[in-house]
């Protein structure tokens, strides 16, 4: 105070206190208020408080009201809160003659903001004032004998009540409904004497007197008793339904009003009653409820029986013109067993009734035995039924309220808070006496109670003992909201750029992990924005005031992030591992898993808690020993759903730390996480890469956890809500690839059995990765060339795929040894692409390595690119000369394209003659084959079959076989080649290439020479016979099947050739072989020989027996020919007779014909 006794403005600096885990925290509004005038020795304390807009009204036990006005702080000052300056001191009017030393003082201050009026109840006298300066209203109207003022309809907003605000005034014999507007207007009286507390929802009001609670239907004026306030009260009987409708003539009470103090004036109650009894002409005939209303004289009327009262379907309405409830009050509920305590016959102290309404359909009532014993809270609905469970209080409450986070039209957006709590001020026994505390219980769950110590300015007296309290702490929901700043919220939730931990190694990892260069101006601007954003997030709304003694506090919900973060800090020891706290952290995560955030602050708070808990649990997973487990385990979905940037978790793993990509702006995280990240990034349990290689089995569990986590994160690709999406998925892909490569490298590739991570590795690269360049580096470092080729395949980089396969095929190390039959893979891949240049490049490369496989690239019918034979021949001649012959073989033998047969013959001749000209061994091999064949005894295969069956594993030998096939006319009679050119080339090797000479002689018509070489040069008698049958066309005829007429020459040519063959057979040097071959030839093919000519050629020394078969056949043919001629002759004679007979018959039918000569 100043020298004139005027209190000075209260200016407060925000106090920094440790983070609390309690659901509510105290914020001082005014402390150590000068309640009494200077020089007063009376112990004055606060009895009631109300705050409206910037006006603070404080009622005291000295029957005074102190009016303070709030002064807003400097907008640039973020430390100082609003200050309050003393405005005035008011002494309300009351009956001093009836007031004693124990009078309560100012009992209630009811502010009605819509009509800018205030109702003040002081020592049983109700007075009315105008806001905000509290000047007397309604001509100093007063009401004496009042015990309660309130009962506003909690289901009606201010905007819906256009004519004023309706309140309920509890006087000695009744409760009066009055509408406060321009003038007070009485609505009705309800017979309920000595009411002490009222809470109203529409037409239903829950009221209490000194003994029991009751439920009133204010429209139908019915009452049902509920249960006593004290369970020891044997006289309070519940369950009685009464009709309390009555009309009494309003009498003028005696004037017992004390003299006014201050600027207040006294008036008689009769004036007030007359005022509120006046009605307009319309209201005299019918009140606002629609029912007839007595005139101002209030003539007595007999009470109606309950059966005569309006029931459902009536057209009555409440005082605001809304339809009243269609149903009457139900029977009274049964009091729960836990509320019925052992009751002695008498009880010494009365309990204060408490009524709250947490929802539009429920009331919360308290009951007990004595103030020193526990109390019970019970929920009653509008039907009078007890619902939910009960609430247990350690002691019977001094005051109680329910905070359900309700929002009114004047509440700020931040006022909407989920859930609800029941708060009760109680006396809790402590050392040396009782201590006033606030007991907090969750209204929607059966969680344990939490206690808030009221922050008194002095906790101890002069002797050092705890100060005793007298139970004057009261709670109240006021009209105006306040926004209490919690800077700790912004300090945790705003974003800051993270200084990432680095590997202490030198090399490429250091270069890659170099922190990005961030624009300092941009970063400073971003930090300012984040600080402003954090300040806004830290604004917590409240409309709960607590007062005790001479101090007033805001009771503000402790922000969710501070409560949970405080719990995490309490259970986490930063100097050790968190194994012992794992289960508690899991419980925290589980408790918020299904929590629905209603505000941006809550959303970010839950995100922050999830991220911090996940970060700590992840560090715990890294620190575990093999096989260590607990009752709670970190789930991958918790890690992913936390929304924590995976780059932060990966920064804790040295093996994967170098994969973190920060981007140009760095990594921004909640500021509250930076200390935790730094703490765990530098702890010794983070394993180095060298140790991972030395002891891989020790780290399987956390590696699998990280692998599942990264795989789950990859499924979020494309989500628009992910910040730094490019850098995040580059990091996750690189880390996952690195981890899979590391796991797969621990598997022995020599076993041939793929590891479990192999399929995961393939799936990763086949689906594509965002870190393409880094993936190439990793795969090259791990020497996984085949996997690298699959990565290129995903990007459609055919050239890189083929180049990588070429490296593997040519012998470069591929640690996985996964490319099996690589050349064939190249061939199949070339058939799928459309790039002509790549097909030519790698097709010819493959043709050089494997001509047979390389040629298939250009001959595959399923290939997407087609080449003409001429293009392929020219390309192969230039890039893969050795493959030309293979391609020509495909054309000539595979496609039957004789156009390129001469080219192929040339290649064959080059191959064979080059070997024969340079290798004596090759010529001896040929000579030996001739000798070996001639030495075989009949029956023996043809020479061609013989050299096929006994082929030499040399290319030139196979070329010679194909050359014989081409020269022998395997492609038909239309096929021709340059005979002269071939003759000139093989002339030097005529003795070595006997079959070739035979074929060429036959082509030239030198059949006798060809048969001579077949008979004497090769000794291939079977082929010689075929030569005659084929007319000298080829010695290579189909192995199976018969000759068609188009293939056989005329018989005369065959006879000539068989004649040459007989001559050669008769010249065989070996006599027995000569006799055998000649007799067999004559016997099998005697029809081609004239018997006389044969007998002339056969030596006379041969016995007839040798020619018996030929001669018998010849004779048979002669007899056959003779008989055939006779039959033909006979048939011809018969045919002649038949023709003659037919002629005679025809002439007979025709008759003679006379022809006259014509004269010229």
């Amino acid at each position: 105070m100043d020298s004139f006794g005027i209190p000075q403005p209260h200016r407060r600096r925000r106090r920094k206190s440790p983070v609390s885990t309690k659901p509510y925290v105290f914020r001082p509004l005014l402390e150590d208020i000068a309640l009494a005038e200077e020089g007063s020795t009376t112990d004055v304390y606060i009895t009631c408080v109300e705050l409206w807009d910037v006006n603070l009204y404080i009622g005291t036990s000295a029957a005074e009201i102190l009016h303070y006005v709030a002064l807003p702080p400097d907008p640039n000052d973020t430390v100082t809160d609003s200050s309050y300056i003393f405005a005035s001191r008011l002494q309300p009017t009351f009956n001093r003659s009836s007031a004693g030393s124990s009078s309560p003082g100012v009992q209630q201050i009811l502010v009605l903001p819509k009509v800018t009026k205030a109702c003040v109840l002081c020592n049983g006298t109700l007075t009315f004032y105008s806001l905000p300066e509290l000047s007397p209203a309604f001509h100093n109207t007063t009401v004496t004998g009042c015990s309660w003022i309130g009962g506003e309809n909690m289901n009606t907003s201010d905007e819906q009540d256009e004519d004023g605000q309706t309140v309920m005034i509890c006087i000695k014999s009744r409760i009066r409904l009055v509408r406060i507007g321009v003038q007070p207007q009485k609505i009705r009286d309800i017979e309920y004497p000595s009411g002490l507390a009222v809470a109203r929802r529409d037409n239903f009001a829950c009221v209490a007197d000194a003994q029991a609670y009751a439920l009133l239907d204010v429209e139908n004026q019915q009452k049902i008793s509920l249960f006593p306030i004290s369970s020891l009260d044997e006289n309070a009987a519940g369950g009685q339904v009464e009709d309390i409708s009555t009309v009494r003539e309003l009498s003028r009470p005696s004037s017992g009003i004390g003299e006014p103090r201050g600027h207040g004036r006294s008036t008689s109650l009769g004036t007030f009653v007359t005022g509120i009894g006046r009605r307009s002409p319309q209201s005299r005939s019918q009140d606002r409820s629609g029912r007839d209303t007595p005139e101002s004289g209030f003539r007595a009327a007999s009470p109606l029986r309950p059966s005569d009262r309006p029931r459902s379907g009536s057209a009555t309405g409440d005082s605001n013109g809304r339809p009243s409830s269609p149903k009457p009050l139900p029977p009274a509920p049964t009091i729960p067993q836990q509320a019925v305590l052992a009751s002695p016959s008498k009880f010494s102290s009365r309990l204060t009734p408490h009524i709250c309404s947490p929802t539009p359909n429920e009331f919360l009532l308290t009951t007990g035995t004595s103030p020193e014993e526990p109390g019970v809270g019970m929920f009653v609905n509008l039907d009078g039924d007890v619902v939910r469970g009960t609430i247990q209080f350690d002691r019977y409450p001094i005051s109680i309220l329910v905070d359900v986070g309700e929002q009114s039209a004047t509440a700020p957006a931040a006022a909407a808070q989920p859930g609800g709590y029941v708060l009760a001020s109680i006396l809790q026994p402590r050392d040396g006496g009782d201590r006033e505390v606030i007991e907090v219980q969750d209204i929607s769950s059966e969680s344990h109670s939490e206690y808030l110590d009221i922050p008194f300015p002095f906790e101890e007296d002069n002797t050092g003992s705890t100060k005793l309290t007298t139970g004057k702490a009261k709670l109240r929901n006021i009209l105006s909201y306040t926004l209490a700043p919690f800077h700790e919220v912004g300090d945790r939730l705003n974003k800051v750029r993270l200084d990432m931990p680095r590997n202490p190694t030198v090399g490429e990892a250091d270069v890659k992990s170099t922190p990005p260069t961030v624009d300092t101006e941009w970063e400073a601007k971003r930090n300012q924005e984040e600080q402003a954003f954090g300040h806004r997030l830290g604004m917590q709304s409240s409309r709960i005031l607590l007062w005790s003694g001479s101090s007033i506090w805001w009771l503000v919900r402790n922000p969710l992030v501070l409560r949970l973060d405080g719990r995490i800090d309490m259970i986490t020891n930063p100097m050790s591992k968190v194994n012992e706290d794992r289960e508690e952290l899991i419980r925290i995560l589980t408790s918020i898993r299904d929590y629905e955030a209603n505000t941006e602050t809550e959303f970010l708070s839950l995100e922050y808690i999830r991220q911090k808990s996940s970060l700590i649990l992840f560090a715990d997973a890294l620190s575990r020993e093999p096989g260590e487990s607990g009752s709670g385990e970190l789930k991958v979905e918790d890690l992913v759903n936390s929304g924590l940037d995976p780059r932060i978790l990966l920064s804790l793993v040295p093996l994967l730390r170098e994969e973190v990509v920060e981007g140009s702006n760095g990594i921004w995280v909640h500021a509250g996480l930076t200390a935790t990240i730094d703490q765990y990034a530098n702890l010794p349990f983070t394993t180095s890469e060298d140790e991972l290689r030395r002891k891989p089995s020790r780290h399987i569990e956390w590696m699998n956890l990280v692998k599942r986590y990264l795989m789950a994160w990859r499924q979020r690709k494309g989500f628009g809500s992910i910040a730094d999406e490019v850098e995040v998925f580059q990091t996750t892909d690189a880390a996952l690839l690195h981890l899979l490569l590391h796991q797969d490298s621990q598997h022995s590739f020599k076993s041939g059995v793929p590891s479990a991570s192999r399929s995961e590795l393939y799936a990763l690269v086949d689906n594509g990765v965002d870190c393409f360049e880094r993936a190439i580096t990793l795969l090259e470092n791990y020497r996984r060339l085949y996997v690298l080729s699959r990565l290129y395949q995903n990007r459609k980089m055919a050239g890189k795929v083929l180049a990588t396969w070429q490296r593997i095929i040519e012998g470069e190390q591929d640690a996985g040894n996964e490319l099996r039959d690589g050349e064939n893979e190249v061939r199949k891949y070339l058939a799928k692409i459309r790039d002509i240049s790549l097909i030519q490049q790698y097709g010819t490369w493959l043709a050089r390595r494997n001509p047979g496989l390389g040629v298939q690239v250009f001959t595959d019918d399923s290939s997407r690119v087609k080449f003409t034979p001429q293009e392929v021949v020219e390309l192969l001649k230039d890039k893969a000369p050795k493959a030309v012959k293979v391609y020509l073989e495909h054309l000539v033998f595979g496609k039957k394209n004789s156009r390129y047969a001469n080219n192929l013959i040339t290649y064959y001749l080059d191959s064979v003659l080059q070997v024969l000209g340079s290798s004596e061994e090759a010529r001896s091999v040929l000579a030996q084959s001739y000798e070996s064949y001639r030495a075989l005894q009949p029956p023996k295969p043809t020479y061609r079959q013989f050299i096929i069956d006994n082929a030499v594993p040399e290319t030139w030998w196979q070329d010679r076989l194909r050359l014989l096939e081409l020269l022998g006319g395997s492609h038909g009679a239309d096929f021709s080649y340059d005979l002269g050119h071939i003759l000139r080339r093989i002339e030097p090797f005529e003795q070595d290439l006997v079959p070739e000479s035979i074929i060429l002689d036959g082509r030239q018509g030198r059949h006798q020479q060809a048969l001579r070489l077949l008979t004497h040069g090769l000794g291939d008698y079977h082929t010689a016979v075929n030569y005659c049958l084929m007319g000298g066309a080829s010695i290579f005829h189909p192995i199976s099947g018969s000759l068609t007429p188009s293939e056989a020459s005329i018989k005369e040519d065959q006879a000539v050739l068989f004649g040459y063959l007989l001559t050669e057979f008769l010249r065989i040097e070996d006599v027995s072989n000569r006799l055998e071959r000649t007799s067999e030839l004559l016997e099998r093919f005697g029809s081609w020989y004239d018997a006389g000519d044969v007998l002339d050629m056969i030596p006379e020394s041969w016995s007839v027996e040798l020619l018996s078969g030929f001669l018998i056949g010849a004779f048979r043919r002669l007899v056959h020919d003779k008989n055939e001629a006779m039959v033909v002759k006979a048939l011809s004679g018969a045919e002649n007779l038949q023709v003659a007979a037919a002629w005679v018959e025809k002439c007979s039918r025709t008759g003679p014909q006379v022809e006259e000569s014509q004269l010229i």
Side-chain angles (χ1 to χ4, degrees), residues 60-124:
T60 70
S61 59
E64 294 181 332
I65 297 178
L66 305 183
H67 180 196
Y68 283 83
V69 178
L71 298 179
D74 186 348
N76 298 323
D77 185 1
T78 60
V79 179
T80 306
D81 286 331
S82 298
S83 60
Y84 284 85
I85 184 172
F86 180 74
S88 64
R89 185 188 298 270
L90 172 68
Q91 297 175 341
T93 300
F94 63 93
N95 190 346
R96 294 182 179 276
S97 62
S98 62
S101 59
S102 61
S103 298
V106 178
Q107 298 166 266
Q108 285 180 268
I109 301 175
L110 178 64
V111 173
L112 305 175
K114 185 178 185 302
V115 295
T116 63
K117 295 294 187 292
C119 305
V120 176
L121 178 61
C122 179
N123 290 330

Side-chain angles (χ1 to χ4, degrees), residues 691-708:
E691 184 180 350
L692 291 176
R693 292 192 176 98
R694 290 195 304 269
K695 301 176 181 180
S697 59
R698 290 174 53 86
H699 312 285
I700 293 177
E701 292 183 5
W702 72 257
M703 282 188 177
N704 289 333
L705 173 66
V706 175
K707 179 174 65 177
R708 295 194 302 271

Side-chain angles (χ1 to χ4, degrees), residues 900-915:
Y900 296 93
N902 279 316
N903 294 337
L904 184 57
I905 291 173
T906 302
Y907 271 95
Y908 287 151
L909 282 175
D910 291 341
S911 176
V912 174
L913 297 180
Q914 183 180 1
V915 174

Side-chain angles (χ1 to χ4, degrees), residues 248-544:
R248 300 175 181 268
E249 182 176 357
L250 189 61
S251 61
R252 300 175 65 90
S254 60
S255 177
I257 309 301
E259 294 298 323
R261 302 176 60 191
H263 60 262
R265 290 187 299 138
S266 174
T267 185
S268 66
L269 179 62
T271 303
F272 169 65
V273 171
T274 304
I276 64 175
R278 295 191 185 99
R279 298 295 183 97
S280 63
Q282 294 84 358
S283 63
R284 289 192 178 96
S285 61
Q286 187 175 15
D287 69 358
R288 296 181 63 85
S289 66
R291 296 185 289 116
D292 290 340
T293 307
E295 297 296 327
S296 58
F298 294 96
R299 295 183 299 272
S302 61
L304 298 176
R305 296 186 304 273
S307 59
D308 296 330
R309 301 300 300 164
R311 299 298 182 185
S312 62
S314 66
T316 60
D318 66 3
S319 60
N320 292 321
R322 292 179 299 277
S324 63
S325 176
K327 58 183 178 181
L329 290 172
T334 302
I335 301 176
Q337 184 65 32
Q338 58 266 36
V340 180
L341 308 177
S343 58
S345 58
K346 299 291 182 181
F347 58 96
S348 58
S349 60
R350 292 287 183 180
L351 300 178
T352 303
H354 299 297
I355 304 175
C356 298
S357 182
T359 69
N361 301 310
E362 292 177 330
F363 297 104
L364 173 61
L365 315 176
T366 59
T367 183
T369 56
S370 72
E372 293 78 18
E373 297 296 329
V376 177
M378 294 188 293
F379 295 91
V380 178
N381 63 14
L382 299 183
D383 293 330
D385 299 326
V386 176
V387 293
R388 305 198 194 193
T390 60
I391 294 180
Q392 302 289 337
F393 300 103
D394 287 359
R395 281 194 178 184
Y396 190 83
I398 300 171
S399 66
I400 186 173
L401 64 79
V402 177
D403 179 20
V404 293
E406 61 184 348
Q407 184 168 351
S408 69
T410 60
Q417 301 173 358
Y421 293 94
V422 176
L423 294 86
S425 62
I426 64 172
L427 290 176
Q428 192 176 67
R430 298 286 179 91
D431 296 338
D434 290 339
R435 166 78 181 200
E436 288 181 340
V437 297
I438 305 300
E439 183 177 4
V440 182
Q441 300 186 54
D442 192 332
I443 197 173
S444 59
S445 65
E446 298 180 358
S447 59
H448 63 279
S449 299
E450 298 194 58
Y451 303 94
L452 309 176
D453 289 335
I454 299 176
F456 289 104
F458 302 98
E459 296 293 336
E460 298 181 353
D461 57 17
N462 296 331
T463 63
S465 61
T466 304
K467 185 176 76 172
L468 302 180
T469 59
T470 57
K472 297 183 178 66
K474 299 294 179 66
L475 294 165
R476 176 173 173 77
N477 275 321
I478 60 173
L479 291 175
S480 298
Y481 284 84
T482 186
L483 289 177
F486 284 83
H487 298 283
E488 300 88 347
V489 174
D491 294 341
R492 286 163 172 77
L493 298 186
N494 65 339
K495 297 291 185 72
V496 296
R497 188 170 68 86
L498 181 64
D499 185 12
M500 294 293 292
R502 310 288 165 188
N503 276 342
T505 56
V506 179
E508 181 186 353
D510 258 5
V511 176
K512 183 179 183 299
S513 301
T514 301
T517 302
V518 181
D519 185 355
T520 56
E521 182 179 352
W522 175 88
E523 184 177 2
K525 182 179 178 181
R526 171 75 184 271
N527 287 330
Q528 290 178 356
E529 293 174 351
E530 290 292 340
Q531 289 176 1
F533 179 67
H535 177 73
R536 181 170 62 84
L537 292 177
M539 302 304 292
Q540 190 78 2
S541 66
S542 176
R543 55 189 293 258
I544 303 175

Side-chain angles (χ1 to χ4, degrees), residues 771-813:
C771 57
F772 183 68
E773 296 298 332
R774 178 58 182 167
I776 295 174
T777 302
L778 286 171
L779 294 171
E780 291 283 4
N781 292 342
Y782 278 87
R783 311 302 302 168
R784 301 301 295 273
L785 298 183
Y786 176 71
V787 183
L788 177 60
S789 70
R790 298 183 71 138
L791 178 65
Y792 287 138
Q793 287 186 62
N794 175 261
R795 291 291 184 101
K796 309 298 182 183
M797 302 174 68
K800 293 289 187 179
V801 174
L802 294 168
T804 306
W805 284 351
Q806 182 180 6
R807 292 167 58 189
I808 299 174
I809 295 171
E810 290 180 348
E812 189 170 343
Q813 181 187 2

Side-chain angles (χ1 to χ4, degrees), residues 151-218:
E152 307 98 309
N153 185 3
M154 302 174 68
N155 285 350
T156 304
S157 65
D158 293 342
E159 289 77 2
Q160 293 174 314
D161 195 351
E162 298 177 355
D163 298 332
Q165 290 184 251
T166 302
V167 298
M168 300 177 71
I169 302 174
C170 297
I171 53 181
K172 291 182 179 180
S173 60
R174 65 186 65 86
I175 295 176
R176 178 164 296 165
L177 265 71
V178 178
R179 180 178 295 109
I180 305 296
V182 178
Q183 291 293 329
Q185 181 181 6
K186 172 186 171 184
I187 299 176
R188 69 174 61 86
D189 285 342
I190 301 173
E191 294 301 317
Y192 189 86
S194 302
L196 298 179
V198 179
R200 182 162 64 96
R201 294 283 188 179
D202 290 331
N203 293 332
F204 294 96
C206 186
V207 298
D209 55 17
Q211 292 185 342
Y213 297 102
L215 192 63
L216 301 181
D217 185 342
V218 298

